[in-house]
Amino acid sequence: MTSIAICAPATSLTRERARETAALAAAEFPDVTLHFHEQCFLSDGHFAGSDSARLEAFVECANDPAMDALWFARGGYGGNRIAEQAISRLGDAAKKKVFLGYSDSGYLLAALYRAGVGRPVHGPMVVDGSRERGEGAIRRALAFLSGDMSGLEPSLDGQPAAAFNLITLAMLSGTDLMPDLAGHVVMLEEVSEHLYAVDRLFFHVTQNLRDCAGIRLGRISAVPENDRDFGQTAEEIAQYWCERNDLPYLGRADIGHDADNKIVPFGLAQGASRP
Amino acid sequence: MTSIAICAPATSLTRERARETAALAAAEFPDVTLHFHEQCFLSDGHFAGSDSARLEAFVECANDPAMDALWFARGGYGGNRIAEQAISRLGDAAKKKVFLGYSDSGYLLAALYRAGVGRPVHGPMVVDGSRERGEGAIRRALAFLSGDMSGLEPSLDGQPAAAFNLITLAMLSGTDLMPDLAGHVVMLEEVSEHLYAVDRLFFHVTQNLRDCAGIRLGRISAVPENDRDFGQTAEEIAQYWCERNDLPYLGRADIGHDADNKIVPFGLAQGASRP
């Protein structure tokens, strides 16, 4: 049996999305039980409840010894506001847990990795079920949380790795949440940003990651139309800034804001299902 | 006589905008001569010419001993791509020069300030003449470059200061262009960003500016409509992150992406017109 706690440190989930995810899990993963924290459905301005409500739900889920994993319901924005306090309150049960999410969840995954608490993992969230072919993302997440490693990002090898949304990593740099990524393969993806913004983000992150093992580029999707063409593709941008900063560009990564988003355990992929 | 060289390290200017600015200067500032570098009117993808063309024009203008000031034609995006190389090539004439601009120009202003070259100053650019009441911005810039200090940001006092576009400063942090802002009053403004993005930028910059003297908030303008209200105003966001990071929040600053954008010499305001 695998017991999975679900909370929403950023923005809220619909009850319909929770029901559909629970139905898929019941039909296809009989050994998995999903526990949606009521906080998932709260709303307060931009967020799934106040900072305090999101913090308490995350800490409760992370510290629950009956739960094997904490699965992020959804990104959006907000995990950074509660991450520092959350980490300071985690106990032994959190150290044995897998934490699965991406995008805005990167703030908490980063903070957990920095603190050496549990097993932070980049991968699909509950909300991804609403995407086209989104059931594939949900199956990949539930299979991974059940111990099936077939959804791992295919380039993962013997080197430690981490995966981030590009602007999330840029905002983390220099803060108290930023983990040491020396020697790591860092995979980066982005959505809904102009290419000039992607360029300035690569300017920033390549200079802030100079001791990492190299960069892999995930998908840069839903780039808005601009009044002029940028003149370089997303991959040319990544290669340009890696070269300028003597950082190996290692090729593409199979991650992104889409249903095909693969799983990247932070650190070494071996033994990823349990810390 | 004040001779002003104009180039465009980011995006290009129209010839019409150059003509109108020259006409205003001729009519109202007889002691000022404007020298528009041809590079201002180039176009290459997103930029006012290739990286190389923009670099050469900037270096030529900055190193020209006949010029008292270098005035940025326009922001957009691109100064960061040439700043490091530009600084390494500046000579004695650049050290005696005023450099006036804002927004994307902040990359070069920051790099100049870090290198101790010339007098970097936040203030209106040539392109601002196209704004509503934009002639006021042009007059403020030309008056300042002629030695008239009446356009200085009104809160400037005996403390060193610097002013930046919020995302520009966020991208600078941790890079080779970032100046030491310890003990400085840092004024920040933003345009066309959602409030959740302003919040994450303040999360980032307040942790990266912990030894500055405090933050002043310029205008956060043209905030796009979001699918939900953020729940805090821009000033509440600035206050929140300053308080979390034990950084004094000092109130508003009279800067922004608008015709009222005031002048902020980097460092001490006294003697700002000549280094």
Side-chain angles (χ1 to χ4, degrees):
Chain A
M1 286 300 296
T2 301
S3 294
I4 303 171
I6 296 162
C7 63
T11 63
S12 59
L13 198 67
T14 63
R15 289 195 186 270
E16 180 196 4
R17 179 54 39 218
R19 269 195 304 271
E20 292 191 6
T21 310
L24 187 152
E28 302 184 25
F29 295 85
D31 290 342
V32 164
T33 54
L34 300 183
H35 304 266
F36 287 90
H37 195 291
E38 269 300 301
Q39 174 269 324
C40 290
F41 313 111
L42 296 180
S43 177
D44 186 342
H46 185 87
F47 306 106
S50 66
D51 287 351
S52 158
R54 298 188 334 274
L55 172 66
E56 295 303 326
F58 179 85
V59 170
E60 185 184 327
C61 291
N63 284 340
D64 185 343
M67 297 291 141
D68 302 296
L70 185 154
W71 194 15
F72 291 84
R74 189 177 174 185
Y77 174 68
N80 60 326
R81 293 174 63 106
I82 64 165
E84 190 182 342
Q85 284 178 277
I87 299 298
S88 72
R89 288 175 55 190
L90 298 185
D92 284 344
K95 293 178 188 157
K96 297 178 190 138
K97 227 170 228 87
V98 173
F99 294 82
L100 178 65
Y102 71 109
S103 192
D104 185 80
S105 313
Y107 294 111
L108 277 155
L109 297 178
L112 289 160
Y113 194 54
R114 175 182 172 126
V117 174
R119 182 61 153 162
V121 179
H122 162 107
M125 296 183 288
V126 178
V127 73
D128 287 308
S130 62
R131 297 186 185 276
E132 197 181 346
R133 301 183 293 109
E135 291 195 344
I138 300 302
R139 287 188 188 103
R140 189 177 314 117
L142 293 175
F144 173 77
L145 293 172
S146 309
D148 173 352
M149 297 293 109
S150 60
L152 290 184
E153 202 282 333
S155 72
L156 289 171
D157 55 16
Q159 286 184 97
F164 285 99
N165 172 259
L166 183 53
I167 197 158
T168 303
L169 182 62
M171 295 297 100
L172 280 163
S173 70
T175 73
D176 289 341
L177 308 183
M178 181 71 181
D180 182 2
L181 297 176
H184 287 59
V185 174
V186 179
M187 304 184 190
L188 298 169
E189 59 81 32
E190 191 50 275
V191 64
S192 304
E193 291 285 350
H194 289 99
L195 286 182
Y196 73 82
V198 171
D199 195 72
R200 70 185 173 195
L201 287 165
F202 266 100
F203 155 74
H204 178 79
V205 300
T206 49
Q207 290 209 34
N208 279 279
L209 287 175
R210 278 186 179 148
D211 55 359
C212 81
I215 302 281
R216 281 189 177 273
L217 183 66
R219 285 175 287 282
I220 305 293
S221 56
V223 175
E225 286 272 339
N226 203 357
D227 52 359
R228 72 204 102 169
D229 184 52
F230 183 69
Q232 284 190 300
T233 66
E235 187 163 26
E236 286 166 347
I237 290 169
Q239 288 170 320
Y240 171 80
W241 287 109
C242 282
E243 189 177 328
R244 269 188 70 152
N245 292 292
D246 293 325
L247 210 55
Y249 175 72
L250 303 171
R252 303 304 301 247
D254 190 7
I255 62 168
H257 270 68
D258 51 49
D260 294 327
N261 188 28
K262 296 301 190 298
I263 287 167
V264 182
F266 283 37
L268 291 169
Q270 279 79 7
S273 63
R274 292 288 179 278
Chain B
M1 286 300 295
T2 301
S3 294
I4 303 172
I6 296 162
C7 62
T11 63
S12 59
L13 198 66
T14 64
R15 290 196 186 270
E16 180 197 5
R17 180 54 37 219
R19 271 196 303 272
E20 292 191 9
T21 310
L24 187 151
E28 302 184 25
F29 296 85
D31 291 342
V32 164
T33 54
L34 300 183
H35 304 265
F36 287 89
H37 196 291
E38 269 301 300
Q39 175 268 324
C40 290
F41 312 111
L42 296 180
S43 176
D44 186 344
H46 186 88
F47 305 107
S50 66
D51 286 351
S52 159
R54 297 186 337 271
L55 172 65
E56 294 303 326
F58 180 85
V59 170
E60 186 185 325
C61 292
N63 283 340
D64 185 343
M67 296 292 142
D68 302 297
L70 185 154
W71 194 16
F72 291 84
R74 189 176 174 186
Y77 174 68
N80 61 325
R81 293 173 63 105
I82 64 166
E84 190 182 342
Q85 284 178 274
I87 298 300
S88 72
R89 289 174 53 189
L90 298 184
D92 283 345
K95 293 177 188 157
K96 297 176 189 138
K97 230 170 225 85
V98 173
F99 295 82
L100 178 64
Y102 71 109
S103 191
D104 186 81
S105 311
Y107 294 111
L108 276 154
L109 298 178
L112 289 160
Y113 194 55
R114 175 180 172 127
V117 173
R119 181 61 152 162
V121 180
H122 162 107
M125 297 182 288
V126 178
V127 73
D128 288 307
S130 62
R131 297 186 184 277
E132 198 182 346
R133 299 183 293 107
E135 292 195 343
I138 300 302
R139 288 188 186 104
R140 189 177 312 118
L142 293 174
F144 173 77
L145 293 172
S146 310
D148 173 351
M149 297 294 109
S150 61
L152 291 184
E153 203 282 333
S155 72
L156 289 170
D157 56 15
Q159 285 184 98
F164 285 99
N165 170 259
L166 182 54
I167 198 159
T168 303
L169 182 62
M171 295 298 99
L172 281 163
S173 70
T175 73
D176 289 342
L177 308 183
M178 182 71 180
D180 182 3
L181 297 176
H184 286 59
V185 174
V186 179
M187 304 184 190
L188 297 169
E189 59 81 31
E190 191 49 275
V191 64
S192 304
E193 292 284 352
H194 289 100
L195 287 181
Y196 73 83
V198 170
D199 194 71
R200 71 185 172 193
L201 287 164
F202 267 100
F203 154 73
H204 178 79
V205 300
T206 49
Q207 290 209 34
N208 279 280
L209 287 175
R210 278 185 179 149
D211 55 358
C212 80
I215 301 281
R216 280 190 178 273
L217 182 67
R219 285 175 287 283
I220 304 293
S221 57
V223 175
E225 286 271 338
N226 203 358
D227 52 359
R228 71 205 103 168
D229 184 53
F230 183 69
Q232 284 189 300
T233 66
E235 187 163 26
E236 286 166 347
I237 290 168
Q239 289 170 319
Y240 172 79
W241 287 109
C242 282
E243 190 177 327
R244 269 188 68 154
N245 291 291
D246 293 324
L247 211 54
Y249 175 72
L250 303 170
R252 302 306 300 247
D254 190 7
I255 62 167
H257 270 68
D258 52 50
D260 294 327
N261 187 28
K262 296 302 191 296
I263 288 168
V264 183
F266 282 37
L268 291 169
Q270 279 80 8
S273 64
R274 293 287 178 278

